[in-house]
Amino acid sequence: MNNLSTNNSKELIFKSAFSFFNNPFKDIDLKDIKKAKEILSEIEQWEIKYSGREYSTLKNSSILTAYLSYQFGQSLQFSNKELSNVYISGLVHNIGKLYISDNFEESFRLYSSPLKPGEKGFSKISKAFKNFPQLTKEYLEKNTKFNIEIVETATTYHSIHSRLFKHG
């Protein structure tokens, strides 16, 4: 596959993900998606404030993760409730990144650091990311009424990532 068709394919997936986000199927719990959109706004405002960009890569990646998770769930013939759970989990799974430090600015610095394994300071970042899944879980349990499946799935999205992170 050439580069042009790969870029076109990626663009179509992103367009589909954002279209679905703006007009989700009726099997997505409306109360949950309302809360998830509030959490995405919190993520977006945080990232824009500290990144200086006009958009949030975390919000975009959350929307894409949720959409691809939903599509994968459909291929596995998940029930409507399971599809709703996995979609909402994908939307909110990045919330813990805001809280990997007690200071929002420090959280952004850790999250966006270009350091690699072995470089000075990387162990601090690795340690912060190790706690990230638990911080996501704590935030969702404290601030939402999501069912346990959503909270556990959102936590699981990054459990593997945080373990592999220290290995680069």
Side-chain angles (χ1 to χ4, degrees):
M1 185 181 287
N2 66 32
N3 224 8
L4 183 59
S5 64
T6 301
N7 287 340
N8 288 342
S9 297
K10 287 179 184 176
E11 188 176 338
L12 285 173
I13 292 169
F14 273 105
K15 283 182 179 178
S16 296
F18 279 90
S19 176
F20 188 86
F21 176 71
N22 291 319
N23 300 293
F25 293 158
K26 64 180 179 188
D27 55 8
I28 303 296
D29 185 302
L30 294 179
K31 180 177 53 92
D32 286 349
I33 199 157
K34 182 178 182 216
K35 186 61 182 175
K37 286 183 176 185
E38 290 171 9
I39 291 171
L40 276 179
S41 291
E42 184 178 351
I43 292 169
E44 180 178 43
Q45 290 168 8
W46 169 76
E47 188 175 8
I48 288 172
K49 179 176 180 178
Y50 294 107
S51 71
R53 291 188 297 250
E54 295 180 12
Y55 62 92
S56 167
T57 57
L58 280 177
K59 178 182 177 181
N60 292 344
S61 71
S62 294
I63 291 171
L64 182 61
T65 297
Y67 178 72
L68 294 176
S69 299
Y70 183 91
Q71 295 295 321
F72 183 66
Q74 276 191 318
S75 73
L76 296 177
Q77 299 181 333
F78 281 10
S79 70
N80 286 354
K81 183 64 174 165
E82 291 169 325
L83 287 171
S84 182
N85 287 347
V86 78
Y87 185 71
I88 300 302
S89 299
L91 291 178
V92 301
H93 77 285
N94 276 318
I95 188 63
K97 288 182 180 169
L98 280 66
Y99 300 97
I100 56 177
S101 167
D102 292 335
N103 177 302
F104 280 166
E105 188 173 3
E106 173 75 359
S107 291
F108 183 77
R109 192 186 66 70
L110 291 168
Y111 152 70
S112 60
S113 174
L115 292 178
K116 303 279 187 278
E119 293 178 343
K120 185 177 180 182
F122 183 82
S123 61
K124 181 178 180 180
I125 297 167
S126 180
K127 184 177 178 184
F129 266 78
K130 184 178 181 186
N131 295 324
F132 165 52
Q134 184 62 31
L135 294 169
T136 298
K137 182 176 183 176
E138 289 170 8
Y139 178 94
L140 295 175
E141 287 176 341
K142 180 179 175 186
N143 297 295
T144 73
K145 293 182 179 174
F146 290 148
N147 66 50
I148 192 66
E149 288 85 6
I150 291 175
V151 174
E152 292 297 330
T153 303
T155 303
T156 302
Y157 276 124
H158 281 290
S159 292
I160 296 168
H161 172 269
S162 65
R163 287 189 184 107
L164 295 176
F165 184 79
K166 65 181 177 179
H167 302 296

